[in-house]
Amino acid sequence: MSTIIYPSPIFGPVHSRRLGISLGINLLPADGKVCSFDCIYCECGFNEDHRPSLPLPTRKEVALALEKKLLEMTAEEQLPDVLTFAGNGEPTCHPHFAEIIDDTIALRNQYCPKAKVCVLSNSTMIHRQQVHDALMKVDDNILKLDTVDPIYINKVDHPNGTYDVNTIIERMKAFHGHIIIQTMFMRGVCNGENVDNTGEEYVGPWLEVVKQIKPQQVMVYTIDRETPAQGLEKASREQLDTIRDRVIAAGIPCSASY
């Protein structure tokens, strides 16, 4: 089984299926994974298999590394389309996430003003006011909502600590549309349990909640790399297209990545 542990605090640029040329900002250690979820499909593997020994990068280290990389890319005349907070776990777990967002926006404005600042988050920290306010400042606030079924979430996303999907939904509504919902659809069997969330029993309730949240966009996608759990399968192109078209029919822009 292969997993991806990203360099820290800067990695790439990489070509993203959904975002274009993306320069990654990893607020987690370079030698392991720190996440409030432990998803069975995570390309970084399971948390327990990648316990880090290094500390989180500091706010200053992130800013210096980002500026250095942007200077290099400016010299090469290949600026990024997006600065993406992602990497080895949940970026909003960093205690100085809000301040780092401010630093990143300032550096973006100085070196690559046309680039977007994007955060990929599993939504578990959006109840924190500082995290909410910081996410309101970024261009693409991409928050995960794989389903609205608590049993499925516990089976597939494996949240650490208390996770109440209804509370998450209410906090998503509090962004007043400044949110992009990202949902993983897949099929297969894991540990003897069906993990297919492409059927109507999952898609229908999820779509109704999406309508309530009123996001600026929805991104539906499926497995692209090797997963730590065995037995998982990609959703078909036809299934993703059908889900995408239902979101669009509800008046919400939606993309599908296969």
Side-chain angles (χ1 to χ4, degrees), residues 27 56-60 91-103 130:
L27 301 187
L56 301 175
T58 66
R59 174 186 178 182
K60 184 176 181 179
T92 61
C93 288
H94 196 290
H96 297 290
F97 173 75
E99 295 93 334
I100 291 170
I101 288 292
D102 288 339
D103 295 341
Q130 283 190 317

Side-chain angles (χ1 to χ4, degrees), residues 138-200:
V138 305
D139 298 287
D140 289 344
N141 170 32
I142 303 178
L143 300 182
K144 174 178 291 297
L145 185 66
D146 282 343
T147 176
V148 298
D149 184 290
I151 295 175
Y152 187 90
I153 291 168
N154 286 323
K155 182 167 57 175
V156 171
D157 293 334
H158 292 163
N160 297 317
T162 302
Y163 179 92
D164 182 352
V165 68
N166 293 316
T167 300
I168 295 293
I169 292 165
E170 291 305 310
R171 294 306 304 164
M172 286 182 166
K173 292 177 183 178
F175 286 104
H176 301 294
H178 184 66
I179 172 178
I180 297 172
I181 291 177
Q182 184 185 70
T183 302
M184 163 70 78
F185 287 101
M186 63 181 181
R187 300 178 296 181
V189 175
C190 179
N191 297 323
E193 294 193 83
N194 186 352
V195 294
D196 187 335
N197 67 335
T198 63
E200 181 60 26

Side-chain angles (χ1 to χ4, degrees), residues 90-122:
E90 175 52 36
T92 61
C93 288
H94 196 290
H96 297 290
F97 173 75
E99 295 93 334
I100 291 170
I101 288 292
D102 288 339
D103 295 341
T104 300
I105 290 173
L107 289 168
R108 183 276 307 274
N109 293 345
Q110 181 177 354
Y111 292 104
C112 51
K114 293 183 179 179
K116 292 184 175 182
V117 175
C118 165
V119 177
L120 297 174
S121 170
N122 64 20

Side-chain angles (χ1 to χ4, degrees), residues 58-72:
T58 66
R59 174 186 178 182
K60 184 176 181 179
E61 287 170 342
V62 175
L64 289 174
L66 177 58
E67 184 168 30
K68 179 182 178 182
K69 187 62 179 181
L70 290 176
L71 282 168
E72 292 175 3

